[in-house]
Amino acid sequence: DQQVKQNSPSLSVQEGRISILNCDYTNSMFDYFLWYKKYPAEGPTFLISISSIKDKNEDGRFTVFLNKSAKHLSLHIVPSQPGDSAVYFCAASARGSQGNLIFGKGTKLSVKP
Amino acid sequence: DAGVTQSPTHLIKTRGQQVTLRCSPKSGHDTVSWYQQALGQGPQFIFQYYEEEERQRGNFPDRFSGHQFPNYSSELNVNALLLGDSALYLCASSQNPTPGTAAFFGPGTRLTVL
């Protein structure tokens, strides 16, 4: 049973526009959420995280929003650039864990020039 | 500063064989976690090593075992390989992580079981 769900396998966006990647979760014990980006032939690279006590975290062009009541988070990339084209993974870390991560299946973002 | 390194890059084995994958963590990191990423899926947590002991384990059978050495490097061993073990195996390192700690991932080892 998937505890972290990314229901959109792919997303295509025009350069300069906003990319919104969505993630849903089911486990109320999750208290941290992280986004990773993965290029082909490379390992996932950490992008941004958010604690469950916050509803927004911003880092440059990347903003993550958390809606705890809906068990939903989203990653906004503004403005999108062709170099952002990659697979984006949503991951969650549970209270009491030593940082082991539960990942969604990923969303492949394509940013077209 | 080298990041997380893994060897080999690719590996082909046949069913029933055994395999050992290796990982060197990022400098300054003492904790190594292993993940399996099947095609079209997200990485799935196998286990985590800290102070040379397995600290946490995901839902994987005993055929999957590991080891951590005093220099913090780690090995993942898989016995009696099955076709379903074909996947990208990712190693991640961190400094004694707590929830929310961002792990640094290596490029992975692509294992193909024929």
Side-chain angles (χ1 to χ4, degrees), chain A residues 41, chain B residues 6-13 19 21 88 108-112:
Chain B
Q6 293 186 242
S7 63
T9 306
H10 296 89
L11 205 50
I12 298 175
K13 292 285 188 178
V19 69
L21 310 182
L88 179 68
T109 293
R110 173 72 62 187
L111 172 65
T112 301

Side-chain angles (χ1 to χ4, degrees), chain B residues 90-101:
Chain B
L90 294 162
C91 171
S93 74
S94 50
Q95 177 61 31
N96 194 10
T98 54
T101 300

Side-chain angles (χ1 to χ4, degrees), chain A residues 2-39:
Chain A
Q2 281 259 297
Q3 297 185 66
V4 177
K5 300 177 186 178
Q6 294 178 258
N7 292 319
S8 298
S10 63
L11 175 68
S12 183
V13 170
Q14 205 67 31
E15 180 180 5
R17 305 296 292 267
I18 184 171
S19 296
I20 300 176
L21 296 101
N22 294 303
C23 178
D24 298 295
Y25 63 96
T26 58
N27 190 339
S28 301
M29 294 294 286
F30 290 150
D31 61 354
Y32 272 93
F33 302 90
L34 302 88
W35 285 93
Y36 280 82
K37 176 171 73 173
K38 188 179 186 300
Y39 294 119

Side-chain angles (χ1 to χ4, degrees), chain A:
Chain A
D1 183 32
Q2 281 259 297
Q3 297 185 66
V4 177
K5 300 177 186 178
Q6 294 178 258
N7 292 319
S8 298
S10 63
L11 175 68
S12 183
V13 170
Q14 205 67 31
E15 180 180 5
R17 305 296 292 267
I18 184 171
S19 296
I20 300 176
L21 296 101
N22 294 303
C23 178
D24 298 295
Y25 63 96
T26 58
N27 190 339
S28 301
M29 294 294 286
F30 290 150
D31 61 354
Y32 272 93
F33 302 90
L34 302 88
W35 285 93
Y36 280 82
K37 176 171 73 173
K38 188 179 186 300
Y39 294 119
E42 295 183 12
T45 303
F46 170 72
L47 266 179
I48 190 169
S49 64
I50 187 167
S51 161
S52 60
I53 63 173
K54 296 187 175 181
D55 54 18
K56 177 182 174 181
N57 189 26
E58 195 170 353
D59 184 1
R61 296 186 298 115
F62 302 92
T63 303
V64 57
F65 296 92
L66 175 63
N67 182 334
K68 279 186 68 177
S69 61
K71 292 190 172 68
H72 176 84
L73 62 154
S74 60
L75 174 68
H76 292 212
I77 307 174
V78 183
S80 301
Q81 300 173 353
D84 295 329
S85 297
V87 177
Y88 288 77
F89 290 101
C90 172
S93 179
R95 205 169 300 139
S97 74
Q98 271 83 35
N100 75 67
L101 299 171
I102 299 173
F103 284 84
K105 291 186 178 183
T107 296
K108 184 175 182 179
L109 173 65
S110 298
V111 180
K112 302 193 182 305

Side-chain angles (χ1 to χ4, degrees), chain B residues 39-77:
Chain B
L39 201 61
Q41 304 293 315
Q44 190 173 356
F45 176 73
I46 302 174
F47 43 52
Q48 184 185 85
Y49 276 83
Y50 172 69
E51 292 188 341
E52 301 180 49
E53 291 195 356
E54 181 182 296
R55 182 159 67 173
Q56 281 199 315
R57 188 178 184 92
N59 189 23
F60 278 80
D62 292 344
R63 299 186 297 110
F64 289 76
S65 63
H67 189 78
Q68 185 179 36
F69 299 94
N71 67 353
Y72 307 120
S73 67
S74 177
E75 288 181 349
L76 164 65
N77 301 294

